[in-house]
Amino acid sequence: MSLRLFVLIPLIVALFIAPAMALPLESKSGSYAAYMMGLKKELDGNLLEARTWYKKAYELDPGSVDVLKALAKISIRLGKLDEAQEWIQRALEHDPDDLDLMLLLSKILIHKDKTDEATEVLEQVIAKDPKNQQALLVLGTLYAERHQWDKAKAILEKAARLDRQKAFMAYYFLGKMAKDRERYKEAERYFKKALEKNTFFTPALFELADVYERQGKVKKAIETYQSVIRRQHDNIKARQRLLFLLLENGKQKEALKQIEILKQIASSDANVQFRLALVLLELDRPHEALDILQALRERMKDNVQVNFYLGLALERCGKEMEALSVYRSIPLDSEVGVDAAIRLARLLQKQGNVSEGADLLKKAIKKYPHRVDIYNALASLYEKANMPDKAIEVLKKGIKDNPDSKPLLMSLVMLLDKLGKKDEAIFYAKKVLKIDPNYVPALNYVGYTYAELGQHLNEAERLLKKAVSLVPKDGFVLDSLGWLYFKKKNYAKALFYIQKARKLVPDDPIIAEHLGDVYFARQEFKKALEQYSWGLKKAKDKADKRRIKRKLQRVKEAASDMPDF
């Protein structure tokens, strides 16, 4: 949020909103009576009638500064800033030293983005009254907005030294400025000073929580947001920040409590409710998300974002026919149109309606030929329908339209690999490496595949070493390098890399199988048995299960003569 908004909220509202006060008038009695009627109507909330009475008072006494002030303020409340500025300027012709009028004029100019003129007026105020704290505060924030940091800091520190009623605001703005400059320690100090001057100033407490969060002081940030909420139970912004902070730090139970409270206190805020639905989907609570999204759709039937995530929630709740209907309602040319088309096509394919799903995606490709995710979706649809040739055709067309697309090329690589066309797959993977020599998936694929085939092992070692240097904590890449050394019968190095991979990816059955292979080669049969047994338990693919089972039997046979096995 810009600094200007923080000028407008705490400092302008009182002058912009407060009705004109009944002051002694030196004008004609008729003008005074009209003025009083205007004041009454304004206090009753009848702003248009109030303005009419103030105008009558002005007609009877054009020189009354009090009437002109009243007209200016009522014009502001009605959103007529040009008119308000005109009334203030007329009043200043009669009383050029009225600082309150000059301050009000400066704020109108700020609201109209005439900051140079506003600065000039504020400097005139300070020239007349060097200790005018409100003028110093507004001028300081204007300089901060222009990134004239030193000037802004000097002015705001002067305002803070005055130590009057608004000293806490000076420290607050100094904190905001330091935070915008990413000087978080300094910002933390200023916000604490603001709270020392005004313990009840909750915006400073909220900003302090934000500064803690930005510094990674998670515990302090959570505690401070909780303090904000204890003061203001319905502070939606603080609760949202606390919610996401709790989620980021694995405190799901506490986060769910905040979600329930936000559902209640922000029930009329569609944006908040939508964000809560997304969080619930992320937490795999689709039924709760569905309740929110269905309620939102009743209020926002044509909102494509709401409809898209409603479709997703319906899918996850097993209501696929309803999801189909919702996805169909989303126009292709909307911001989520392509995503909806992809999900719709997948559902159609799942129901055996491959041709309709394919036609839908072809239409999307025609409209958006450079959206590579559509080609991938269509290829996947054909692959699942056991139409691999069509899948390859789609991917090759996508590559023709998007020749530098690494994701499309790698999709083709992986499909060709599944079909056993490893030479062709390596050819396309090497095309990726021509586009980007540091593209890890391609480096890993070529290196691992060469290792599997027992071909070009030195080249495989070079590629995999490069991949490991780029992503030293990627367990799958480390496993590939270890597997290469296994193929080269360097079992010590193989063990080193595959053990590291096993620690980094503890749930992968293939890495466990590889580690079992290394132990078997080193005749550490008990350890090999442990890895194969674990891998067999975790494997989901039938071919993987059969292969690991054979290896398990082999290690049992090899170790059968060992007395301690």
Side-chain angles (χ1 to χ4, degrees), residues 3 41 52 55 75 82 87 93 187 193 199 205 229 317 332 346 361 415 422 440 453 455 467 488 495 564:
L3 282 167
K41 294 293 183 184
T52 301
K55 282 187 175 179
S75 298
D82 289 337
W87 293 123
E93 288 173 10
K193 281 189 176 183
T199 309
L205 192 62
I229 291 163
C317 291
L332 182 61
R346 286 173 181 163
L361 293 175
L415 179 56
K422 294 190 181 292
V440 171
L453 296 172
Q455 300 173 0
K488 294 182 85 170
L495 183 63
D564 61 338

Side-chain angles (χ1 to χ4, degrees), residues 43-72:
L43 290 169
D44 290 342
N46 298 322
L47 303 187
L48 291 173
E49 288 186 48
R51 184 174 63 160
T52 301
W53 281 107
Y54 288 144
K55 282 187 175 179
K56 285 181 181 178
Y58 171 71
E59 289 167 7
L60 292 167
D61 187 4
S64 171
V65 172
D66 296 307
V67 171
L68 288 164
K69 281 184 179 180
L71 281 164

